[in-house]
């Protein structure tokens, strides 16, 4: 098994553990958001847009990390979306941790860590992509010198 294959397996496991669960829960929550759109649109629209942009950035970071030839996304929208996903996850986790009704709902305090994980996973994937790109450029420079 090549080094790239091993890396892709690890990245895919990371995406399945770090990004996919929140993506699936967001897909399920869109029905709830659609119902809430008629009651509090000033809340629903920003939540939907911020969450969509954040998850889009996370999956784009995964795609960049999985690429055969490592190239850091030069599109600043991807990097901004990953930062938005991380900050949004921290805001949601902070808001839920301060909610007084968490114990009454049967939620554990560790459950709030669910929200920042996609952003953290995407940041790690961007760092892996950056490292792979710098190694590839260093190998390319060394190959051109010889």
């Amino acid at each position: 098994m090549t080094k790239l294959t091993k890396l892709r397996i690890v990245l895919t496991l990371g995406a399945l553990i770090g990004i996919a669960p929140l993506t699936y829960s967001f897909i399920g929550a869109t029905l709830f958001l659609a119902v809430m759109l008629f009651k509090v649109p000033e809340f629903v629209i920003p939540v939907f847009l911020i969450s969509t942009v954040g998850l889009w950035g996370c999956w784009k970071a995964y795609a960049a990390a999985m690429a055969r030839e490592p190239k850091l996304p030069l599109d600043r929208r991807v990097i901004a979306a990953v930062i938005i996903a991380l900050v949004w996850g921290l805001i949601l986790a902070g808001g839920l941790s301060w909610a007084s009704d968490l114990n009454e709902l049967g939620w554990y305090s560790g459950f709030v860590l669910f929200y920042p994980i996609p952003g953290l996973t995407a940041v790690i994937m961007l760092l892996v992509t950056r490292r792979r790109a710098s190694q590839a450029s260093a190998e390319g420079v060394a190959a051109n010198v010889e």
Side-chain angles (χ1 to χ4, degrees):
M1 196 178 321
T2 66
K3 189 175 179 181
L4 180 60
T5 305
K6 290 177 187 176
L7 178 65
R8 284 182 172 173
I9 290 171
V10 170
L11 290 172
T12 301
L13 288 174
L16 288 174
I17 294 169
I19 303 172
L22 196 65
T23 302
Y24 291 136
S25 68
F26 175 71
I27 291 169
T30 54
L31 179 62
F32 172 73
L33 288 174
V35 171
M36 292 298 294
L37 182 63
F38 298 108
K39 296 184 184 223
V40 274
E42 62 276 357
F43 168 76
V44 172
I45 294 171
V47 166
F48 181 78
L49 291 176
I50 292 170
S51 299
T52 302
V53 168
L55 288 173
W56 171 80
C58 291
W59 287 111
K60 290 295 275 188
Y62 170 70
M66 289 289 287
R68 179 173 292 280
E69 295 185 22
K71 185 171 63 171
L72 195 62
L74 297 178
D75 189 2
R76 299 206 188 278
R77 293 179 297 177
V78 174
I79 297 169
V82 168
I83 293 169
I84 287 170
L86 182 61
V87 170
W88 183 239
L90 291 171
I91 288 170
L92 287 175
L96 284 177
S97 67
W98 288 102
S100 62
D101 297 335
L102 282 179
N103 292 333
E104 294 174 15
L105 294 173
W107 290 9
Y108 299 105
S109 60
F111 181 73
V112 298
L113 297 176
F114 180 70
Y115 292 103
I117 288 176
L120 291 171
T121 304
V123 167
I124 290 169
M125 289 188 183
L126 286 177
L127 292 173
V128 166
T129 306
R130 181 175 176 248
R131 183 171 179 250
R132 285 183 61 214
S134 65
Q135 286 178 347
S137 67
E139 290 173 2
V141 169
N144 289 337
V145 172
E146 295 175 2

